[in-house]
Amino acid sequence: MSTFTTPAEHLIYSSDEDDLRAAVRDSLTAAVSVPAILARIETEEPYDSSAWSTLAYEIGAAGLPIAETWSGAGASWREAGVVAEEIGRAIAPLPYLGSAVLATAALLALTNHRTVPKLLTDIAEGRITATLAVPLSTAPASLGTVTVMARRLELTGSVTSVADLFAADLILVPSAEIDGTLSLYAVDPSAAGVAITRGSSLDLTRPLSSLRLDSAAGTLIAHGHDVQPALDRALTVAAAMLACEQVGITEYCLESTVAYAKTRYQFGRQIGSYQAIKHRLADMYLDLVQARAVARYAAACVAIEDPDTAIAVGVAQAFCSRVALRAAEEALQLHGGIGFTWEHPAHLYLKRAKADQLALGTVDAHRNRLADLLGLSSTA
């Protein structure tokens, strides 16, 4: 572990992070090929459980920010951001965002509650994959009204657009008690009264599902004043990790397009030799460098809970969301006709980039929150 104490010092990757990246990239390259993704995403099993088991538990990605006391790696959200970059780069259909980020971040904010250490240990050791039952579109600090009601440890209500719900062995469900206070319950997806319906998602590599609870049994994890801050913390961490994923998307789009421009000939010349193509690729590179800096800063801020965290995450999401989408659009166009085919992965990156832009708050939502945080008048 590094001894850096300020977020700016974390902009450069450490040797441990480089080793982690190499291990994750090798694992995903071997286990998650484009033909395999295309064959899987429209089936009833869109997730690659074997690849997830290798990444999460053999490499240890599921427990990176979890303390060694609870069988985790004792690392931080900065290292988790490196994994998110590689997942974005590989467009891997894995429940990393739901389990290793959203659910884990919520539980890490509630470790003073009796059942939480056991749940974190189970996640880190690979006994369970979890997710947090909130709409994926929810921006940090804007959860709003909870749509599940709790009465005598039984939950009734519904939540739409939940990420990684199909892969979850455990669902963390925010619920409102009769007196209006907020609680967090653990729900077994196979229990009576629990219904999960897969929705129609733009990004087939990260399907969204609806959760319906009808007097379903729940195990109380936490109740009272610290539940809302834990949920806000989970959404903030997830937004930072999503920015890292968008960096990975941008990196792949740039690298694959540069490689194509070197090998594709038009009128007897490499298309990469044309000045207009060079300019567009140079713009993509500059976007990538800037996106990596703001995403790394946001990841470092959440790692040490810096006072600048809310601003850093807002900047990262507002910037990286647009950069990733622009890179995916450029990659699709510069690949020409082949980029528009189903067999080529360009459309997968475009769909993931667009879906990520709508996840955990839109660009405008983050810009408006930044304006409030900085005391400026908001502009759309």
Side-chain angles (χ1 to χ4, degrees):
M1 297 296 295
S2 69
T3 57
F4 297 153
T5 56
T6 65
E9 292 177 291
H10 294 293
L11 296 182
I12 298 174
Y13 297 100
S14 68
S15 59
D16 288 342
E17 289 171 313
D18 288 338
D19 291 342
L20 174 63
R21 181 188 304 282
V24 173
R25 185 173 297 185
D26 289 346
S27 174
L28 293 178
T29 299
V32 187
S33 65
V34 171
I37 293 173
L38 291 171
R40 178 180 293 278
I41 55 178
E42 290 190 294
T43 70
E44 293 301 313
E45 296 182 3
Y47 297 97
D48 191 327
S49 58
S50 176
W52 172 239
S53 178
T54 300
L55 175 67
Y57 313 122
E58 292 182 24
I59 294 177
L64 279 173
I66 298 174
E68 294 180 37
T69 306
W70 303 318
S71 301
S76 74
W77 290 112
R78 191 180 63 256
E79 287 81 9
V82 172
V83 178
E85 287 182 32
E86 291 304 307
I87 287 176
R89 192 177 187 276
I91 211 71
L94 305 174
Y96 184 75
L97 183 65
S99 187
V101 179
L102 278 165
T104 298
L107 292 172
L108 284 172
L110 297 167
T111 53
N112 57 318
H113 292 268
R114 182 175 55 85
T115 60
V116 170
K118 173 64 164 59
L119 293 176
L120 288 170
T121 301
D122 287 345
I123 290 174
E125 292 184 350
R127 284 193 286 269
I128 61 172
T129 296
T131 195
L132 181 63
V134 296
L136 188 58
S137 58
T138 308
S142 64
L143 181 58
T145 303
V146 171
T147 55
V148 175
M149 301 297 296
R151 185 173 185 179
R152 297 191 183 95
L153 302 182
E154 291 187 346
L155 309 179
T156 299
S158 61
V159 187
T160 60
S161 303
V162 180
D164 300 334
L165 190 56
F166 256 88
D169 305 305
L170 184 76
I171 310 169
L172 304 181
V173 184
S175 307
E177 303 289 342
I178 295 176
D179 61 3
T181 57
L182 200 59
S183 297
L184 186 67
Y185 286 85
V187 174
D188 183 345
S190 63
V194 180
I196 297 173
T197 306
R198 181 175 172 179
S200 178
S201 306
L202 171 64
D203 177 14
L204 296 177
T205 64
R206 180 177 285 146
L208 303 181
S209 307
S210 295
L211 173 68
R212 177 69 190 176
L213 303 171
D214 185 7
S215 298
T219 301
L220 182 65
I221 295 175
H223 170 74
H225 65 278
D226 54 352
V227 175
Q228 184 69 57
L231 297 176
D232 290 341
R233 170 68 175 171
L235 292 168
T236 299
V237 170
M241 296 300 101
L242 194 68
C244 294
E245 178 178 293
Q246 290 162 335
V247 169
I249 293 170
T250 305
E251 181 181 53
Y252 172 85
C253 290
L254 173 61
E255 290 181 358
S256 64
T257 307
V258 168
Y260 182 76
K262 290 179 178 179
T263 58
R264 172 62 175 164
Y265 281 74
Q266 190 73 31
F267 304 111
R269 291 175 56 183
Q270 293 172 320
I271 63 170
S273 67
Y274 290 98
Q275 197 73 5
I277 302 297
K278 290 180 180 179
H279 286 169
R280 292 169 72 171
L281 293 174
D283 287 343
M284 289 173 69
Y285 174 76
L286 290 175
D287 281 346
L288 172 60
V289 170
Q290 294 175 79
R292 193 184 300 279
V294 296
R296 285 285 290 173
Y297 183 76
C301 281
V302 298
I304 63 174
E305 299 187 46
D306 190 87
D308 198 32
T309 295
I311 294 173
V313 171
V315 170
Q317 264 302 295
F319 186 78
C320 294
S321 290
R322 291 191 171 188
V323 164
L325 182 59
R326 183 161 58 241
E329 291 171 340
E330 288 284 74
L332 187 73
Q333 189 173 68
L334 293 177
H335 273 84
I338 192 174
F340 286 81
T341 63
W342 180 261
E343 290 76 14
H344 194 277
H347 69 98
L348 296 175
Y349 288 87
L350 179 62
K351 292 168 184 174
R352 172 67 72 90
K354 184 59 183 178
D356 280 2
Q357 191 181 61
L358 302 175
L360 298 167
T362 63
V363 171
D364 286 346
H366 286 287
R367 290 178 61 189
N368 289 338
R369 186 173 183 231
L370 278 171
D372 292 338
L373 291 169
L374 297 171
L376 305 173
S377 59
S378 61
T379 55

